[in-house]
């Protein structure tokens, strides 16, 4: 009887980086290989070699499927040094704004401490289906399919995951059936500990967007987040300042409870792009709570998120590495 692990190792040695899946059912083996870039002859040779190897390892019946032109997918991590700074709000609106700009975007809620995307994206209570062992993302009203840790784990279940477990769960979400999605936005757990580092290292994003409020304390946390990505060799796309300037709902006067411009100054100091500023406005919270992210509408806050998305999209398309190339 063929052995899954041994077969995987042998196939990987035969065709490094090309093994997309291997399924065993008794002595029947089906394998999917990525043949991107190979000539017709090269493809035939790859298929023949894979068949020979599987037979030699004890498989009775062998199916080999070659795919090519696999979707080149870019992963954007949205991160913050601490919770409550609006990371999830920015992730949801960035995903929607990127989709409105023409990208095919999926959203991953990897925040094991406070998964909030099902609510933000108006699909609370939804459960993803699975085909074989592959999860199928849940469609949302905003054209951005979603998978959330919150859909996999009961809300009241205390989650005290160690890094490797959280990374394994993220891999399950990231390797779901994202179909034609070319961009995945990931709402990472806040903080700069082992859980975050392991996730980043295992699932190396193309780039990271750091969210901070203008406060000093929050900026110190943001700097830690930036260091974390530097350590993992993941480029930082830039910094978003959230909750800047409070517009009084009665008189419209702008006050700055958390100061303003701190994140922009920090970005300049660190030599990082400043991606934009989102004001502190109760309307953002009420819209978010109602599952109607501002980026999906036509209001002024939508425009602020669109501006940020434009800068992120420009960074992604100016030759940033694709996940599939890494
Ligand atoms: N710019 C903003 N103005 C008003 N409320 C905001 C703003 N950004 C986020 N919030 C609210 O603050 C709370 C925390 O935001 P959230 O995105 O969940 O933060 P995080 O994911 O960093 O913990 C939510 O209730 C959210 O609606
Ligand atoms: Mg959050």
């Amino acid at each position: 009887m063929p052995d899954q692990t041994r077969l995987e190792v042998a196939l990987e040695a035969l065709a490094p980086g090309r093994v997309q899946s291997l399924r065993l059912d008794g002595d029947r083996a089906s394998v999917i290989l990525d043949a991107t870039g190979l000539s017709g002859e090269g493809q035939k040779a790859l298929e023949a070699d894979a068949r020979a190897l599987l037979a030699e390892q004890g498989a009775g019946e062998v199916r080999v499927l070659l795919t090519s032109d696999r979707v080149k997918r870019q992963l954007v991590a949205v991160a913050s040094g601490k919770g409550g700074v609006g990371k999830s709000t920015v992730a949801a609106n960035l995903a929607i704004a990127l989709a409105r700009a023409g990208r095919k975007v999926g959203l991953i809620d990897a925040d094991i401490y406070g998964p909030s995307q099902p609510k933000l994206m108006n699909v609370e209570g939804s459960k993803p289906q699975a085909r074989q062992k592959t999860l199928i993302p849940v469609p949302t009203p905003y054209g951005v399919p979603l998978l959330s840790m919150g859909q996999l784990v009961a809300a009241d279940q205390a989650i005290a995951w160690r890094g490797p477990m959280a990374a394994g769960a993220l891999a399950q979400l990231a390797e779901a059936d994202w179909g034609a999605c070319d961009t995945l936005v990931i709402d990472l757990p806040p903080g700069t500990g082992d859980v975050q580092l392991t996730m980043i290292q295992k699932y190396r994003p193309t780039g990271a967007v750091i969210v901070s409020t203008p406060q000093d304390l929050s900026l110190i946390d943001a700097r830690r987040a930036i260091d974390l990505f530097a350590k993992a060799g993941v480029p930082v796309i830039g910094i978003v300042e959230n909750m800047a300037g409070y517009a009084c709902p009665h008189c419209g006067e702008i006050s700055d409870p958390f100061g303003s411009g701190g994140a922009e100054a920090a970005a300049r100091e660190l030599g990082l792009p400043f991606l934009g500023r989102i004001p502190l406005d109760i309307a953002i919270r009420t819209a978010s709570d109602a599952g109607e992210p501002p980026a999906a509408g036509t209001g002024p806050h939508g425009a602020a998120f669109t501006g940020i998305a434009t800068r992120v999209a420009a960074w992604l398309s100016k030759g940033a590495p694709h996940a599939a190339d890494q």
Side-chain angles (χ1 to χ4, degrees), residues 79-80 82-93 111 114 116-117 119-120 187-188 190 211 213 241-246 277-289 301 305:
S80 65
K82 65 169 193 178
V85 300
K87 177 175 53 61
S88 298
T89 308
V90 169
N93 285 283
D111 189 345
S116 48
Q117 294 301 348
K119 183 173 183 180
L120 279 163
D187 185 358
L188 278 182
V211 182
T213 65
E241 183 171 275
N242 187 33
M243 307 192 187
Y246 175 65
R277 177 175 291 128
I278 309 293
L280 177 69
D281 189 330
I282 193 84
I284 294 182
R285 213 201 63 198
T286 40
S288 302
D289 283 353
H301 298 317
F305 287 112

Side-chain angles (χ1 to χ4, degrees), residues 1-296:
M1 201 63 78
D3 173 78
Q4 177 91 23
T5 312
R6 270 183 55 191
L7 273 184
E8 272 172 8
V9 171
L11 273 172
E12 189 59 38
L14 176 77
R18 293 192 180 275
V19 185
Q20 296 209 309
S21 81
L22 167 69
R23 286 194 213 289
L24 281 181
D25 182 10
D27 76 339
R28 271 186 302 178
S30 341
V31 59
I32 302 179
L33 299 172
D34 178 5
T36 300
L38 293 180
S39 64
E41 249 176 50
Q43 294 190 7
K44 271 187 208 141
L46 176 65
E47 183 176 342
D49 287 353
R51 281 185 182 284
L53 184 140
L54 290 164
E56 182 193 297
Q57 297 275 335
E61 196 182 310
V62 175
R63 278 184 56 207
V64 178
L65 186 71
L66 299 184
T67 65
S68 57
D69 278 347
R70 132 168 87 123
V71 179
K72 301 274 186 187
R73 208 162 273 156
Q74 292 178 302
L75 272 58
V76 179
V78 179
S80 65
K82 65 169 193 178
V85 300
K87 177 175 53 61
S88 298
T89 308
V90 169
N93 285 283
L94 174 64
I96 292 170
L98 285 171
R100 288 183 81 170
R103 284 182 168 256
K104 296 197 177 62
V105 186
L107 179 59
I108 296 180
D109 183 1
D111 189 345
I112 45 178
Y113 306 116
S116 48
Q117 294 301 348
K119 183 173 183 180
L120 279 163
M121 300 297 283
N122 215 331
V123 287
E124 219 173 352
S126 60
K127 287 268 171 271
Q129 306 287 309
R131 193 186 302 120
Q132 248 102 51
K133 280 183 184 152
T134 305
L135 288 169
I136 302 168
V138 171
T140 69
Y142 308 112
V144 172
L146 167 73
L147 278 177
S148 168
M149 296 279 191
Q151 294 164 328
L152 304 186
V153 186
D156 54 355
Q157 210 170 305
I159 306 176
W161 280 354
R162 287 170 298 108
M165 283 172 72
L170 172 58
Q172 209 192 341
L173 301 191
E175 283 154 23
D177 182 4
W178 289 103
C181 286
D182 53 29
T183 312
L184 295 182
V185 173
I186 307 179
D187 185 358
L188 278 182
T192 50
D194 280 353
V195 171
Q196 292 79 0
L197 183 62
T198 316
M199 276 185 163
I200 297 166
Q201 282 173 335
K202 173 153 173 122
Y203 231 90
R204 295 175 51 85
T206 314
V209 169
I210 310 284
V211 182
S212 176
T213 65
Q215 285 161 292
D216 280 346
L217 193 63
S218 168
L219 282 173
I220 292 167
D221 291 320
R223 284 200 176 93
R224 284 208 191 99
I226 291 160
D227 285 345
L228 184 78
F229 284 101
K231 207 193 293 177
V234 172
V236 172
I237 302 172
I239 298 181
V240 171
E241 183 171 275
N242 187 33
M243 307 192 187
Y246 175 65
C248 172
H250 304 296
C251 66
E253 190 191 339
I254 305 274
S255 53
D256 280 345
F258 299 146
S260 176
E264 185 168 10
R268 206 178 310 122
E269 211 177 290
L270 293 161
L272 289 171
F274 180 66
L275 298 173
R277 177 175 291 128
I278 309 293
L280 177 69
D281 189 330
I282 193 84
I284 294 182
R285 213 201 63 198
T286 40
S288 302
D289 283 353
E292 289 165 8

